[in-house]
Amino acid sequence: MTATTISAKGETLAFPPDFVWGAATAAYQIEGAARDGGRGPSIWDTFSHTPGRTADGHTGDVACDHYHRYADDVRMMAELGLGAYRFSVAWPRIQPSGSGPAVAAGLGFYDRLVDELLAADITPYVTLYHWDLPQALEDRGGWTNRDTAYRFADFTRIVHDRLGDRVGTWMTINEPWVSAVLGYGIGIHAPGRASAAEAFRASHHLLLAHGLGARVLRDAGASEIALTLNLTPVMTPGQVSDPDLVPSAEDSEAVNRIDCLINRQFLDPALRGKYPDPVLAIMERMGGIDHIRDGDLETINQPVDLLGINYYTPCVVRSEPGEPANAAYPGSEDILFSGTHAPTTAMGWAIVPTGLSQLLTRLSCDYPEVGLLVTENGAAFDDVVAGDRVHDADRTAFFESHLRAAHAAIETGADLRGFLVWSLLDNFEWAEGYNKRFGIVHVDFETQRRLPKDSALWYREVIRHNGLHRERARRPTLEAVAARAGVSRSTVSRVINGEGTVSDEFRAIVMHAVNELGYVPNSAARSLVTRRTDSIALVVSGSSTEARADDPLFSATVRSATRELEESGKRVTLMLADSAAGRLRVEQYAASGHVDGVVLVSAHGTDPLPAALARTGIPVVSLGRPAVATQTPYADIDNVGGASLAVRHLLARGRRRIAAISGPPDAVTAQERLRGYREALRDTGHRSIIAVGDLTLASGADAMRQLLHDDPALDAVFAAGDLMAIGALRVLSESGRRVPDDVAIAGFDDIEAASYAVPALTTVRAPREDQARAAVRLLLRQIDGGPVSSTILPTELVIREST
């Protein structure tokens, strides 16, 4: 893996002096006033009013009522220090039928909004199309009809004629892939059609609309023109943790094909004047290319000043012969979309900040003629209002990690000029309705009350300092609040829950500490009014007690989980289930309601306890992936990717006869690490050489003796645990083999002893404390009834003298 050196000015990680800080929204998501001022229906009005199309039948009829509250919203933007505000113009508010003369009231609204922004010293960034096509145009074919692109050019001229004297930056089309594929290809967005051929036709006409609109803007004297795309780095599972990993030829083809479909299908026509050959071939197969006419690509390839980048999550794929095509990616046969195995947002989108660095760096290298602007980046989380605060620490952490990634890209030469968070307000989240909140400002949709979240207050400080603190802030705990207030943890919990047994004096003291520290109330703090036991069982299952007693990383993981639970205000009951009687005792204890949930540490594939606990109905999270598929969510590390990383490192060092010392065959981690070893060798054509250990020093030594006896010519060893690797080092020394001259060796886990071994051990660092914290967070969220998905944390290779 490569490391990036980040420069800092004093205590601040500084961005360029003219860096633009702002926020973004879209008309249908926030404006409301669906029938005010002569506005006509859009495809999203029709779609959201069709039963079954949106969550809970939600519509954008009222949304955030921004149409009537824009002045207050602009004042709030100014208080947050925003330098720019990206908003979209509702086409049906200007031309209800999609063509003809403009409606004065519609233009008047945007007139007033722009004037209000300028008076507040906030630069308006106008998006001309953010998915709200007039229904009248859809009735004539929508974006599958070539004429719609020309109607967009007319609409562009009308809006620029009215606002062009005050607006400098214009964005033509927002995310044509989403409009075309989700709207016309698979039907989960408006207008709800499902045809691969129509998706490709719509994509082309959206690009044509961009080119025609950009030409209108340039001829009218617009100073800055942009196209906004949802872009994502496409990678293999192994590249998530190791971007420098060279995939197999089959995986490379899969990555390139999907990259062409989601990224280059739009980048190359707009910035290079041509479609990638794989896209044309798929188009031809799906429905022909007669919609691409002579001169279209020249029109689409208009000079632009900025490329707007909407980044949320990467796309992870690998070759899988026989896999059917993903409906969202026509032509993706034999490709598996495998997911990223990372923490996720409430949308289920994996959080991979390094993907933004890769994307920005790649774009500046491949398309150096255009400046870059992050036009959307944000996350939905399950926010909780506590008094007059929303402590959305997860969202703040999301933004901070992505801004650090953006800064790293700038350091490597990316021409990034600004960052706009998505979104300013909680809003109508398309097909998800009002169930997913992306805003840095909380909106009560019943009262329309605006409440800046902690992420907004944090962002205000970032803007004020034009950068980030060098060191990340630690998240306050319930215990820290109790210490600051000088009360017990249970008192803090009762105050947060509004329980009446606490005096006004102590309530005020506790809330002052809560606000001062920015504490985020969690399920533990809220548990006292739910009649829960406030206890969690930490269950250690399996029969490998002897090996585990010799494994310092295992005990560290259990300690971390215990500490995280206690800091969350939970009492911890440690239970062993290393026999049939022990497992039955745990199952009965959980089923009887003595605990609110279980964190299960299970090592063996044959362990029946995960399935047994699942049947009790009690919330359970596994610390480590269960071998047998169950509904039990889990928090694990990337064992496969980490092992592959270590073996590929040995291959890169010129080693060709690489043996493995595997862990117990029935241990899930051992199975996965062995799989990573085999996959890395298989990709390069080398054969596997395997001996089995049981995670102890002695077993590593015994396995090394066996390997030397069976294959004296081996030149490298990967051990699936550091203790086994250290045992192997001792045997190599006893046998007169020099490390790494004769035999290189790498381990896994980065226990403390690895750095003190002779020679110091190259190993894979496993974020065990993060894994324990992730498991506890999953359990607490599950107890609260929130959405829960399993988490796999990335690993990294620590290179020392043994290789």
Side-chain angles (χ1 to χ4, degrees), residues 315-345:
C315 181
V316 181
V317 301
R318 62 179 174 85
S319 174
E320 185 66 35
E323 184 74 13
N326 184 316
Y329 299 88
S332 62
E333 296 86 359
D334 301 322
I335 295 176
L336 178 66
F337 290 75
S338 59
T340 58
H341 308 303
T344 60
T345 68

PDB file of all heavy atoms in Angstrom, residues 315-345:
ATOM      1  N   CYS A 315     -17.613   1.164  -6.641  1.00  0.00           N
ATOM      2  CA  CYS A 315     -18.273   0.013  -7.263  1.00  0.00           C
ATOM      3  C   CYS A 315     -17.252  -1.120  -7.296  1.00  0.00           C
ATOM      4  O   CYS A 315     -16.172  -0.973  -7.867  1.00  0.00           O
ATOM      5  CB  CYS A 315     -18.733   0.365  -8.677  1.00  0.00           C
ATOM      6  SG  CYS A 315     -19.595  -0.968  -9.530  1.00  0.00           S
ATOM      7  N   VAL A 316     -17.578  -2.242  -6.656  1.00  0.00           N
ATOM      8  CA  VAL A 316     -16.627  -3.350  -6.502  1.00  0.00           C
ATOM      9  C   VAL A 316     -17.118  -4.553  -7.296  1.00  0.00           C
ATOM     10  O   VAL A 316     -18.238  -5.032  -7.081  1.00  0.00           O
ATOM     11  CB  VAL A 316     -16.444  -3.700  -5.014  1.00  0.00           C
ATOM     12  CG1 VAL A 316     -15.435  -4.827  -4.864  1.00  0.00           C
ATOM     13  CG2 VAL A 316     -15.990  -2.481  -4.231  1.00  0.00           C
ATOM     14  N   VAL A 317     -16.294  -5.029  -8.204  1.00  0.00           N
ATOM     15  CA  VAL A 317     -16.684  -6.122  -9.095  1.00  0.00           C
ATOM     16  C   VAL A 317     -15.524  -7.100  -9.261  1.00  0.00           C
ATOM     17  O   VAL A 317     -14.369  -6.777  -8.973  1.00  0.00           O
ATOM     18  CB  VAL A 317     -17.095  -5.598 -10.493  1.00  0.00           C
ATOM     19  CG1 VAL A 317     -18.249  -4.629 -10.396  1.00  0.00           C
ATOM     20  CG2 VAL A 317     -15.906  -4.930 -11.183  1.00  0.00           C
ATOM     21  N   ARG A 318     -15.855  -8.269  -9.729  1.00  0.00           N
ATOM     22  CA  ARG A 318     -14.836  -9.238 -10.132  1.00  0.00           C
ATOM     23  C   ARG A 318     -15.435 -10.166 -11.187  1.00  0.00           C
ATOM     24  O   ARG A 318     -16.661 -10.269 -11.326  1.00  0.00           O
ATOM     25  CB  ARG A 318     -14.318 -10.037  -8.949  1.00  0.00           C
ATOM     26  CG  ARG A 318     -15.345 -10.895  -8.230  1.00  0.00           C
ATOM     27  CD  ARG A 318     -14.697 -11.663  -7.078  1.00  0.00           C
ATOM     28  NE  ARG A 318     -15.642 -12.398  -6.261  1.00  0.00           N
ATOM     29  CZ  ARG A 318     -16.092 -13.617  -6.546  1.00  0.00           C
ATOM     30  NH1 ARG A 318     -15.673 -14.227  -7.645  1.00  0.00           N
ATOM     31  NH2 ARG A 318     -16.950 -14.223  -5.746  1.00  0.00           N
ATOM     32  N   SER A 319     -14.585 -10.811 -11.903  1.00  0.00           N
ATOM     33  CA  SER A 319     -15.029 -11.758 -12.929  1.00  0.00           C
ATOM     34  C   SER A 319     -15.695 -12.966 -12.275  1.00  0.00           C
ATOM     35  O   SER A 319     -15.193 -13.508 -11.292  1.00  0.00           O
ATOM     36  CB  SER A 319     -13.829 -12.203 -13.763  1.00  0.00           C
ATOM     37  OG  SER A 319     -14.212 -13.218 -14.667  1.00  0.00           O
ATOM     38  N   GLU A 320     -16.818 -13.376 -12.822  1.00  0.00           N
ATOM     39  CA  GLU A 320     -17.534 -14.556 -12.310  1.00  0.00           C
ATOM     40  C   GLU A 320     -18.277 -15.197 -13.486  1.00  0.00           C
ATOM     41  O   GLU A 320     -19.432 -14.856 -13.777  1.00  0.00           O
ATOM     42  CB  GLU A 320     -18.520 -14.160 -11.221  1.00  0.00           C
ATOM     43  CG  GLU A 320     -19.215 -15.340 -10.546  1.00  0.00           C
ATOM     44  CD  GLU A 320     -18.252 -16.201  -9.753  1.00  0.00           C
ATOM     45  OE1 GLU A 320     -17.298 -15.651  -9.164  1.00  0.00           O
ATOM     46  OE2 GLU A 320     -18.441 -17.424  -9.736  1.00  0.00           O
ATOM     47  N   PRO A 321     -17.609 -16.101 -14.216  1.00  0.00           N
ATOM     48  CA  PRO A 321     -18.261 -16.730 -15.376  1.00  0.00           C
ATOM     49  C   PRO A 321     -19.618 -17.324 -15.005  1.00  0.00           C
ATOM     50  O   PRO A 321     -19.768 -17.981 -13.978  1.00  0.00           O
ATOM     51  CB  PRO A 321     -17.257 -17.824 -15.774  1.00  0.00           C
ATOM     52  CG  PRO A 321     -15.930 -17.302 -15.292  1.00  0.00           C
ATOM     53  CD  PRO A 321     -16.243 -16.585 -14.008  1.00  0.00           C
ATOM     54  N   GLY A 322     -20.598 -17.065 -15.842  1.00  0.00           N
ATOM     55  CA  GLY A 322     -21.943 -17.577 -15.619  1.00  0.00           C
ATOM     56  C   GLY A 322     -22.851 -16.648 -14.863  1.00  0.00           C
ATOM     57  O   GLY A 322     -24.069 -16.879 -14.804  1.00  0.00           O
ATOM     58  N   GLU A 323     -22.294 -15.575 -14.279  1.00  0.00           N
ATOM     59  CA  GLU A 323     -23.125 -14.631 -13.535  1.00  0.00           C
ATOM     60  C   GLU A 323     -23.994 -13.841 -14.515  1.00  0.00           C
ATOM     61  O   GLU A 323     -23.510 -13.301 -15.506  1.00  0.00           O
ATOM     62  CB  GLU A 323     -22.231 -13.667 -12.746  1.00  0.00           C
ATOM     63  CG  GLU A 323     -22.980 -12.688 -11.862  1.00  0.00           C
ATOM     64  CD  GLU A 323     -23.561 -13.335 -10.610  1.00  0.00           C
ATOM     65  OE1 GLU A 323     -23.175 -14.483 -10.289  1.00  0.00           O
ATOM     66  OE2 GLU A 323     -24.391 -12.688  -9.960  1.00  0.00           O
ATOM     67  N   PRO A 324     -25.314 -13.769 -14.271  1.00  0.00           N
ATOM     68  CA  PRO A 324     -26.171 -12.989 -15.180  1.00  0.00           C
ATOM     69  C   PRO A 324     -25.886 -11.500 -15.062  1.00  0.00           C
ATOM     70  O   PRO A 324     -25.328 -11.035 -14.056  1.00  0.00           O
ATOM     71  CB  PRO A 324     -27.584 -13.326 -14.699  1.00  0.00           C
ATOM     72  CG  PRO A 324     -27.413 -13.744 -13.278  1.00  0.00           C
ATOM     73  CD  PRO A 324     -26.067 -14.404 -13.182  1.00  0.00           C
ATOM     74  N   ALA A 325     -26.274 -10.752 -16.055  1.00  0.00           N
ATOM     75  CA  ALA A 325     -26.027  -9.306 -16.058  1.00  0.00           C
ATOM     76  C   ALA A 325     -26.817  -8.619 -14.948  1.00  0.00           C
ATOM     77  O   ALA A 325     -27.946  -8.997 -14.641  1.00  0.00           O
ATOM     78  CB  ALA A 325     -26.411  -8.713 -17.413  1.00  0.00           C
ATOM     79  N   ASN A 326     -26.200  -7.626 -14.343  1.00  0.00           N
ATOM     80  CA  ASN A 326     -26.897  -6.750 -13.406  1.00  0.00           C
ATOM     81  C   ASN A 326     -27.785  -5.819 -14.215  1.00  0.00           C
ATOM     82  O   ASN A 326     -27.319  -5.165 -15.153  1.00  0.00           O
ATOM     83  CB  ASN A 326     -25.851  -5.954 -12.603  1.00  0.00           C
ATOM     84  CG  ASN A 326     -26.471  -5.090 -11.528  1.00  0.00           C
ATOM     85  OD1 ASN A 326     -27.470  -4.426 -11.736  1.00  0.00           O
ATOM     86  ND2 ASN A 326     -25.843  -5.074 -10.364  1.00  0.00           N
ATOM     87  N   ALA A 327     -29.066  -5.731 -13.854  1.00  0.00           N
ATOM     88  CA  ALA A 327     -30.021  -4.954 -14.655  1.00  0.00           C
ATOM     89  C   ALA A 327     -29.614  -3.492 -14.787  1.00  0.00           C
ATOM     90  O   ALA A 327     -29.927  -2.846 -15.793  1.00  0.00           O
ATOM     91  CB  ALA A 327     -31.414  -5.051 -14.037  1.00  0.00           C
ATOM     92  N   ALA A 328     -28.912  -2.959 -13.792  1.00  0.00           N
ATOM     93  CA  ALA A 328     -28.483  -1.558 -13.854  1.00  0.00           C
ATOM     94  C   ALA A 328     -27.284  -1.367 -14.771  1.00  0.00           C
ATOM     95  O   ALA A 328     -26.920  -0.223 -15.078  1.00  0.00           O
ATOM     96  CB  ALA A 328     -28.161  -1.042 -12.455  1.00  0.00           C
ATOM     97  N   TYR A 329     -26.660  -2.462 -15.184  1.00  0.00           N
ATOM     98  CA  TYR A 329     -25.484  -2.390 -16.043  1.00  0.00           C
ATOM     99  C   TYR A 329     -25.671  -3.344 -17.216  1.00  0.00           C
ATOM    100  O   TYR A 329     -25.095  -4.435 -17.237  1.00  0.00           O
ATOM    101  CB  TYR A 329     -24.221  -2.759 -15.260  1.00  0.00           C
ATOM    102  CG  TYR A 329     -23.941  -1.846 -14.095  1.00  0.00           C
ATOM    103  CD1 TYR A 329     -24.502  -2.107 -12.844  1.00  0.00           C
ATOM    104  CD2 TYR A 329     -23.136  -0.724 -14.237  1.00  0.00           C
ATOM    105  CE1 TYR A 329     -24.269  -1.266 -11.767  1.00  0.00           C
ATOM    106  CE2 TYR A 329     -22.889   0.128 -13.158  1.00  0.00           C
ATOM    107  CZ  TYR A 329     -23.460  -0.158 -11.929  1.00  0.00           C
ATOM    108  OH  TYR A 329     -23.235   0.684 -10.859  1.00  0.00           O
ATOM    109  N   PRO A 330     -26.498  -2.983 -18.189  1.00  0.00           N
ATOM    110  CA  PRO A 330     -26.715  -3.871 -19.332  1.00  0.00           C
ATOM    111  C   PRO A 330     -25.386  -4.233 -19.988  1.00  0.00           C
ATOM    112  O   PRO A 330     -24.534  -3.358 -20.203  1.00  0.00           O
ATOM    113  CB  PRO A 330     -27.583  -3.016 -20.270  1.00  0.00           C
ATOM    114  CG  PRO A 330     -28.229  -1.990 -19.385  1.00  0.00           C
ATOM    115  CD  PRO A 330     -27.232  -1.711 -18.305  1.00  0.00           C
ATOM    116  N   GLY A 331     -25.202  -5.512 -20.272  1.00  0.00           N
ATOM    117  CA  GLY A 331     -23.941  -5.953 -20.847  1.00  0.00           C
ATOM    118  C   GLY A 331     -22.927  -6.393 -19.817  1.00  0.00           C
ATOM    119  O   GLY A 331     -21.753  -6.597 -20.144  1.00  0.00           O
ATOM    120  N   SER A 332     -23.357  -6.579 -18.564  1.00  0.00           N
ATOM    121  CA  SER A 332     -22.418  -6.937 -17.493  1.00  0.00           C
ATOM    122  C   SER A 332     -22.426  -8.437 -17.186  1.00  0.00           C
ATOM    123  O   SER A 332     -22.135  -8.835 -16.060  1.00  0.00           O
ATOM    124  CB  SER A 332     -22.735  -6.144 -16.224  1.00  0.00           C
ATOM    125  OG  SER A 332     -24.041  -6.451 -15.741  1.00  0.00           O
ATOM    126  N   GLU A 333     -22.735  -9.250 -18.170  1.00  0.00           N
ATOM    127  CA  GLU A 333     -22.694 -10.698 -17.957  1.00  0.00           C
ATOM    128  C   GLU A 333     -21.300 -11.139 -17.498  1.00  0.00           C
ATOM    129  O   GLU A 333     -20.290 -10.542 -17.883  1.00  0.00           O
ATOM    130  CB  GLU A 333     -23.044 -11.435 -19.253  1.00  0.00           C
ATOM    131  CG  GLU A 333     -24.453 -11.195 -19.769  1.00  0.00           C
ATOM    132  CD  GLU A 333     -24.576  -9.951 -20.635  1.00  0.00           C
ATOM    133  OE1 GLU A 333     -23.550  -9.250 -20.831  1.00  0.00           O
ATOM    134  OE2 GLU A 333     -25.689  -9.666 -21.113  1.00  0.00           O
ATOM    135  N   ASP A 334     -21.285 -12.190 -16.678  1.00  0.00           N
ATOM    136  CA  ASP A 334     -20.038 -12.789 -16.183  1.00  0.00           C
ATOM    137  C   ASP A 334     -19.277 -11.870 -15.228  1.00  0.00           C
ATOM    138  O   ASP A 334     -18.064 -12.019 -15.047  1.00  0.00           O
ATOM    139  CB  ASP A 334     -19.116 -13.200 -17.345  1.00  0.00           C
ATOM    140  CG  ASP A 334     -19.776 -14.195 -18.282  1.00  0.00           C
ATOM    141  OD1 ASP A 334     -20.502 -15.077 -17.777  1.00  0.00           O
ATOM    142  OD2 ASP A 334     -19.598 -14.077 -19.506  1.00  0.00           O
ATOM    143  N   ILE A 335     -19.993 -10.928 -14.624  1.00  0.00           N
ATOM    144  CA  ILE A 335     -19.381 -10.019 -13.648  1.00  0.00           C
ATOM    145  C   ILE A 335     -20.199 -10.060 -12.371  1.00  0.00           C
ATOM    146  O   ILE A 335     -21.425  -9.926 -12.394  1.00  0.00           O
ATOM    147  CB  ILE A 335     -19.308  -8.577 -14.186  1.00  0.00           C
ATOM    148  CG1 ILE A 335     -18.374  -8.503 -15.401  1.00  0.00           C
ATOM    149  CG2 ILE A 335     -18.829  -7.616 -13.098  1.00  0.00           C
ATOM    150  CD1 ILE A 335     -18.326  -7.135 -16.047  1.00  0.00           C
ATOM    151  N   LEU A 336     -19.509 -10.249 -11.249  1.00  0.00           N
ATOM    152  CA  LEU A 336     -20.162 -10.268  -9.945  1.00  0.00           C
ATOM    153  C   LEU A 336     -19.938  -8.931  -9.257  1.00  0.00           C
ATOM    154  O   LEU A 336     -18.801  -8.472  -9.118  1.00  0.00           O
ATOM    155  CB  LEU A 336     -19.592 -11.395  -9.079  1.00  0.00           C
ATOM    156  CG  LEU A 336     -20.170 -11.504  -7.659  1.00  0.00           C
ATOM    157  CD1 LEU A 336     -21.641 -11.897  -7.701  1.00  0.00           C
ATOM    158  CD2 LEU A 336     -19.373 -12.516  -6.844  1.00  0.00           C
ATOM    159  N   PHE A 337     -21.025  -8.294  -8.828  1.00  0.00           N
ATOM    160  CA  PHE A 337     -20.947  -7.069  -8.040  1.00  0.00           C
ATOM    161  C   PHE A 337     -20.881  -7.513  -6.579  1.00  0.00           C
ATOM    162  O   PHE A 337     -21.893  -7.882  -5.981  1.00  0.00           O
ATOM    163  CB  PHE A 337     -22.155  -6.180  -8.311  1.00  0.00           C
ATOM    164  CG  PHE A 337     -22.144  -5.563  -9.684  1.00  0.00           C
ATOM    165  CD1 PHE A 337     -22.452  -6.332 -10.796  1.00  0.00           C
ATOM    166  CD2 PHE A 337     -21.801  -4.241  -9.866  1.00  0.00           C
ATOM    167  CE1 PHE A 337     -22.419  -5.786 -12.071  1.00  0.00           C
ATOM    168  CE2 PHE A 337     -21.760  -3.684 -11.138  1.00  0.00           C
ATOM    169  CZ  PHE A 337     -22.075  -4.457 -12.242  1.00  0.00           C
ATOM    170  N   SER A 338     -19.689  -7.463  -6.011  1.00  0.00           N
ATOM    171  CA  SER A 338     -19.458  -8.157  -4.755  1.00  0.00           C
ATOM    172  C   SER A 338     -19.568  -7.286  -3.522  1.00  0.00           C
ATOM    173  O   SER A 338     -19.502  -7.779  -2.407  1.00  0.00           O
ATOM    174  CB  SER A 338     -18.070  -8.806  -4.778  1.00  0.00           C
ATOM    175  OG  SER A 338     -17.076  -7.832  -4.971  1.00  0.00           O
ATOM    176  N   GLY A 339     -19.729  -5.992  -3.667  1.00  0.00           N
ATOM    177  CA  GLY A 339     -19.782  -5.140  -2.485  1.00  0.00           C
ATOM    178  C   GLY A 339     -18.392  -4.868  -1.950  1.00  0.00           C
ATOM    179  O   GLY A 339     -17.406  -5.493  -2.330  1.00  0.00           O
ATOM    180  N   THR A 340     -18.304  -3.894  -1.011  1.00  0.00           N
ATOM    181  CA  THR A 340     -17.002  -3.421  -0.573  1.00  0.00           C
ATOM    182  C   THR A 340     -16.605  -3.895   0.805  1.00  0.00           C
ATOM    183  O   THR A 340     -15.489  -3.646   1.239  1.00  0.00           O
ATOM    184  CB  THR A 340     -16.981  -1.883  -0.564  1.00  0.00           C
ATOM    185  OG1 THR A 340     -18.028  -1.429   0.291  1.00  0.00           O
ATOM    186  CG2 THR A 340     -17.198  -1.335  -1.941  1.00  0.00           C
ATOM    187  N   HIS A 341     -17.491  -4.547   1.552  1.00  0.00           N
ATOM    188  CA  HIS A 341     -17.160  -5.043   2.882  1.00  0.00           C
ATOM    189  C   HIS A 341     -16.579  -3.943   3.760  1.00  0.00           C
ATOM    190  O   HIS A 341     -15.462  -4.049   4.264  1.00  0.00           O
ATOM    191  CB  HIS A 341     -16.182  -6.215   2.783  1.00  0.00           C
ATOM    192  CG  HIS A 341     -16.639  -7.296   1.852  1.00  0.00           C
ATOM    193  ND1 HIS A 341     -17.841  -7.946   2.008  1.00  0.00           N
ATOM    194  CD2 HIS A 341     -16.066  -7.823   0.749  1.00  0.00           C
ATOM    195  CE1 HIS A 341     -17.981  -8.847   1.042  1.00  0.00           C
ATOM    196  NE2 HIS A 341     -16.926  -8.785   0.271  1.00  0.00           N
ATOM    197  N   ALA A 342     -17.335  -2.873   3.926  1.00  0.00           N
ATOM    198  CA  ALA A 342     -16.898  -1.739   4.735  1.00  0.00           C
ATOM    199  C   ALA A 342     -18.092  -1.247   5.545  1.00  0.00           C
ATOM    200  O   ALA A 342     -19.234  -1.636   5.290  1.00  0.00           O
ATOM    201  CB  ALA A 342     -16.367  -0.624   3.827  1.00  0.00           C
ATOM    202  N   PRO A 343     -17.862  -0.395   6.547  1.00  0.00           N
ATOM    203  CA  PRO A 343     -19.001   0.208   7.258  1.00  0.00           C
ATOM    204  C   PRO A 343     -19.924   0.905   6.268  1.00  0.00           C
ATOM    205  O   PRO A 343     -19.474   1.441   5.246  1.00  0.00           O
ATOM    206  CB  PRO A 343     -18.322   1.207   8.206  1.00  0.00           C
ATOM    207  CG  PRO A 343     -16.946   0.682   8.393  1.00  0.00           C
ATOM    208  CD  PRO A 343     -16.567   0.041   7.087  1.00  0.00           C
ATOM    209  N   THR A 344     -21.216   0.924   6.560  1.00  0.00           N
ATOM    210  CA  THR A 344     -22.180   1.480   5.618  1.00  0.00           C
ATOM    211  C   THR A 344     -22.998   2.603   6.249  1.00  0.00           C
ATOM    212  O   THR A 344     -23.082   2.732   7.458  1.00  0.00           O
ATOM    213  CB  THR A 344     -23.150   0.391   5.124  1.00  0.00           C
ATOM    214  OG1 THR A 344     -23.847  -0.154   6.248  1.00  0.00           O
ATOM    215  CG2 THR A 344     -22.400  -0.716   4.405  1.00  0.00           C
ATOM    216  N   THR A 345     -23.601   3.406   5.384  1.00  0.00           N
ATOM    217  CA  THR A 345     -24.541   4.437   5.807  1.00  0.00           C
ATOM    218  C   THR A 345     -25.931   3.814   5.950  1.00  0.00           C
ATOM    219  O   THR A 345     -26.120   2.622   5.703  1.00  0.00           O
ATOM    220  CB  THR A 345     -24.596   5.574   4.773  1.00  0.00           C
ATOM    221  OG1 THR A 345     -25.199   5.055   3.569  1.00  0.00           O
ATOM    222  CG2 THR A 345     -23.198   6.093   4.443  1.00  0.00           C
TER     223      THR A 345
END
